[in-house]
Amino acid sequence: MVGVEQLYSPLDVEIDKHTLTEYVPAKPLESNLEVVFSVTEKTSITPQLDPCGQLSCGSALKFPFARADYTPMVVLISDAKVLVAADATTETKRVVELTLDIASLGELDYEPGDTVAILPSNSPQVVAQVLQRLNLTQQADSACHVNLALNCAKKSAKVPAHIPALTTPREILTYCVSLRSVPQKQFLSALASYTSELKERSFLASLSSKQGVAHYQTLILERGLCFLDLLELCASCQPTLALLVEHLPRLLPRPYSIANSPLESAHQLRIVYSIRAHNPGVTTSMLEAKVEQYLLQQKPVQLYVYPRMPNAFRYTDRELTSNQILIAVGTGLAPFLGFLEHKQLRQQHATGQTWLYAGAKTPQAMLKQEQLVIWQENSILQHLRLCYSRSSVAEQPKYVQQLLQQDAEQLVELLQQPTTILYVCADGAKISKSIEDSLRCCLQQVLSLDETQATHHLKELRTQGKYREDIWL
Ligand SMILES: Cc1cc2nc3c(=O)[nH]c(=O)nc-3n(C[C@H](O)[C@H](O)[C@H](O)COP(=O)(O)OP(=O)(O)OC[C@H]3O[C@@H](n4cnc5c(N)ncnc54)[C@H](O)[C@@H]3O)c2cc1C
């Protein structure tokens, strides 16, 4: 379980070293919003079982990529299995498979590769710490609403659509705003004006100034310091809730790939997530807390989910007679587990070839490795190539890119067939780019193309829908 101590990890940033002696502070901004507590301030909103603030915002608030006719609904975590244990020596992330009981979504028509979105919430401990800093602990559950400030001069100012009309400070900080987003310079400058200690105020003001661009680059963009880190670094920074509502972006739902076939069960689906050991993300921390709750209580735990609009990255009955080249790195294997299970359940109709290239840190970190081998033995997979980046065997390829190049001849031959589709899924844009580079090399080598021609060929493949990619982060 991720404790607040880990989320609030001590930072080894010496603020004086990142404070300029000469800079022009940005013009102070007037606050455009105000938080007004109800006259009957003591009547707190009765907390629901598992409330979710953005759901009470009305139809004006859109949920990104939600399928038509679907809004977030409560589903139940009905099972949780650890697929991969975290391992610090190989920097392997813990991977968990969740089974979700989705009966509340009705007859959901989905295919392997489709995605659902999960509504995250900020951890209760972190929210409690922010409330304390804002001096709102006593009013954390008091009814309030957010208005335009009386003196607001900005014509375009409005109350963000992701804040419910009637809410509480705890609800806003738990469900509505992202506490870990990249702080914009305007926000830093606003925070400076709510900081009493000179050294800390100068640090924030200098960081937000035009002259502070290099420090902003290092601390905010490269080291990823977020609002919570700044609060830790600047103990005298005490912003208002209205300021946070104005400057912190919406806490957005996160997509997760469906990792099973719909033929398995109409009312259940599985997702697989990985969690970082250090500085874990908001949604994955929330999922970890829910898994812990599930394992402790041994009864289903609620989660807010909605189905996202499908795209071409899916394996349907149409694909049964075509060929697939599947390339996965890390947890990116998750959607392909669904593809392969679907093919298995439709095996009598499946005439196409399926090749899988997958990479993980170690054999233990490869998702469902035994199942992959069984699929190969049962001719669901015609070609299975696995590699491990932390392998100590010198002559073995470590990366899928190397496997692709080793197989260049047969790979390009299969790819050239009219019904072959190549799918790439990796948890990182850099890996996807590097896979593309090695595919380019394969095309150059086998088809005797120069780099420009091979790039053009890849572009054509994408246009024709023969090269499909899911980039996660
Ligand atoms: C189409 C699509 C499908 C996806 N399917 C899956 C899936 O099936 N399984 C899955 O685990 N993820 C999947 N993701 C990624 C997922 O949506 C989240 O981005 C991820 O779980 C981290 O969310 P978070 O809220 O915990 O992290 P945030 O709080 O958003 O973390 C901030 C940043 O930290 C980094 N980060 C945090 N956690 C991780 C992590 N575990 N691994 C690598 N970097 C991390 C990322 O750069 C992230 O942007 C998918 C993304 C897309 C776009």
Side-chain angles (χ1 to χ4, degrees):
M1 165 66 184
V2 179
V4 69
E5 300 77 12
Q6 277 163 281
L7 288 166
Y8 254 39
S9 63
L11 300 161
D12 54 352
V13 173
E14 290 177 52
I15 64 173
D16 333 19
K17 292 199 175 147
H18 294 277
T19 307
L20 300 172
T21 44
E22 281 183 33
Y23 62 90
V24 183
K27 223 172 98 197
L29 286 173
E30 292 300 329
S31 193
N32 292 310
L33 301 178
E34 62 183 14
V35 173
V36 181
F37 285 91
S38 301
V39 189
T40 50
E41 216 168 85
K42 283 190 191 121
T43 29
S44 60
I45 293 178
T46 318
Q48 299 155 30
L49 193 60
D50 188 0
C52 189
Q54 295 188 33
L55 288 177
S56 38
C57 289
S59 56
L61 185 69
K62 301 288 172 230
F63 287 89
F65 300 101
R67 272 210 218 171
D69 302 330
Y70 280 99
T71 51
M73 300 285 286
V74 170
V75 303
L76 299 173
I77 296 177
S78 58
D79 197 11
K81 280 196 191 92
V82 177
L83 296 186
V84 178
D87 176 21
T89 49
T90 55
E91 293 175 28
T92 296
K93 285 181 280 188
R94 171 177 146 103
V95 180
V96 180
E97 179 183 62
L98 295 184
T99 304
L100 304 180
D101 177 338
I102 54 160
S104 58
L105 298 178
E107 285 299 313
L108 178 64
D109 181 19
Y110 69 89
E111 302 287 353
D114 287 354
T115 53
V116 291
I118 294 182
L119 268 58
S121 53
N122 292 308
S123 115
Q125 297 93 324
V126 168
V127 170
Q129 294 202 7
V130 176
L131 284 165
Q132 195 178 12
R133 180 64 69 86
L134 268 52
N135 208 8
L136 283 176
T137 305
Q138 299 304 320
Q139 289 169 295
D141 299 303
S142 298
C144 66
H145 47 269
V146 180
N147 287 339
L148 284 184
L150 279 178
N151 59 350
C152 170
K154 192 174 164 193
K155 280 204 180 122
S156 59
K158 50 184 181 213
V159 177
H162 54 268
I163 304 295
L166 183 64
T167 182
T168 66
R170 195 188 306 278
E171 183 177 54
I172 293 175
L173 294 173
T174 307
Y175 300 108
C176 303
V177 294
S178 167
L179 301 172
R180 299 193 147 261
S181 53
V182 178
Q184 303 296 308
K185 283 195 165 191
Q186 253 194 6
F187 182 39
L188 295 177
S189 137
L191 285 177
S193 52
Y194 286 90
T195 303
S196 52
E197 214 265 317
L198 182 61
K199 199 168 95 170
E200 295 169 1
R201 190 167 64 238
S202 306
F203 165 65
L204 292 168
S206 138
L207 203 57
S208 64
S209 70
K210 266 192 183 159
Q211 296 74 17
V213 65
H215 290 303
Y216 184 85
Q217 174 71 28
T218 327
L219 290 184
I220 307 291
L221 302 180
E222 287 164 20
R223 291 193 55 169
L225 256 63
C226 67
F227 164 63
L228 295 176
D229 301 318
L230 294 170
L231 281 192
E232 196 190 354
L233 285 173
C234 304
S236 73
C237 176
Q238 196 175 32
T240 61
L241 181 58
L243 189 92
L244 301 192
V245 171
E246 189 170 345
H247 290 275
L248 291 175
R250 176 181 175 191
L251 186 57
L252 281 169
R254 312 290 204 265
Y256 290 86
S257 308
I258 295 175
N260 64 291
S261 162
L263 298 175
E264 198 190 309
S265 162
H267 295 300
Q268 283 198 339
L269 59 80
R270 285 196 299 273
I271 60 158
V272 173
Y273 70 86
S274 68
I275 177 150
R276 293 197 302 199
H278 299 291
N279 207 6
V282 174
T283 318
T284 42
S285 299
M286 176 195 78
L287 291 174
E288 285 288 271
K290 287 188 185 280
V291 166
E292 190 176 82
Q293 191 188 343
Y294 169 77
L295 295 174
L296 210 69
Q297 298 175 350
Q298 282 300 311
K299 63 177 196 211
V301 172
Q302 295 185 338
L303 194 64
Y304 282 90
V305 163
Y306 63 88
R308 297 172 88 239
M309 280 186 290
N311 57 28
F313 198 95
R314 58 197 325 224
Y315 183 88
T316 69
D317 281 353
R318 275 211 320 223
E319 274 74 45
L320 289 171
T321 51
S322 57
N323 307 318
Q324 299 81 40
I325 300 170
L326 313 176
I327 305 174
V329 177
T331 327
L333 192 54
F336 300 146
L337 298 175
F339 284 32
L340 294 165
E341 188 194 34
H342 198 69
K343 185 172 175 184
Q344 179 191 348
L345 295 171
R346 283 266 194 236
Q347 196 168 11
Q348 69 277 30
H349 305 284
T351 52
Q353 295 224 1
T354 307
W355 292 16
L356 174 66
Y357 293 87
K361 295 243 163 71
T362 60
Q364 296 72 30
M366 180 66 71
L367 305 189
K368 304 207 175 183
Q369 184 167 22
E370 282 175 19
Q371 179 63 63
L372 298 179
V373 173
I374 294 173
W375 276 326
Q376 186 184 28
E377 286 165 2
N378 296 344
S379 303
I380 304 298
L381 277 171
Q382 280 63 43
H383 191 56
L384 173 65
R385 298 291 316 269
L386 305 177
C387 62
Y388 309 103
S389 58
R390 299 299 169 102
S391 163
S392 51
V393 187
E395 59 275 14
Q396 273 178 3
K398 288 186 163 41
Y399 303 104
V400 285
Q401 293 87 324
Q402 292 168 288
L403 297 179
L404 299 175
Q405 291 191 359
Q406 281 187 347
D407 288 359
E409 197 78 42
Q410 312 96 293
L411 187 79
V412 172
E413 193 188 311
L414 183 64
L415 189 57
Q416 295 290 84
Q417 291 184 24
T419 72
T420 303
I421 296 171
L422 185 133
Y423 297 84
V424 180
C425 187
D427 50 1
K430 274 191 196 150
I431 304 178
S432 299
K433 173 80 183 59
S434 158
I435 290 171
E436 180 178 337
D437 290 342
S438 63
L439 287 168
R440 184 183 297 105
C441 289
C442 292
L443 290 172
Q444 279 183 248
Q445 179 194 322
V446 178
L447 303 178
S448 309
L449 304 177
D450 64 24
E451 198 183 324
T452 318
Q453 289 168 322
T455 304
H456 182 72
H457 196 98
L458 280 177
K459 208 172 151 197
E460 285 282 290
L461 291 174
R462 283 183 193 276
T463 316
Q464 295 160 6
K466 277 172 69 73
Y467 183 170
R468 304 178 186 178
E469 220 175 357
D470 230 2
I471 299 176
W472 282 6
L473 300 164

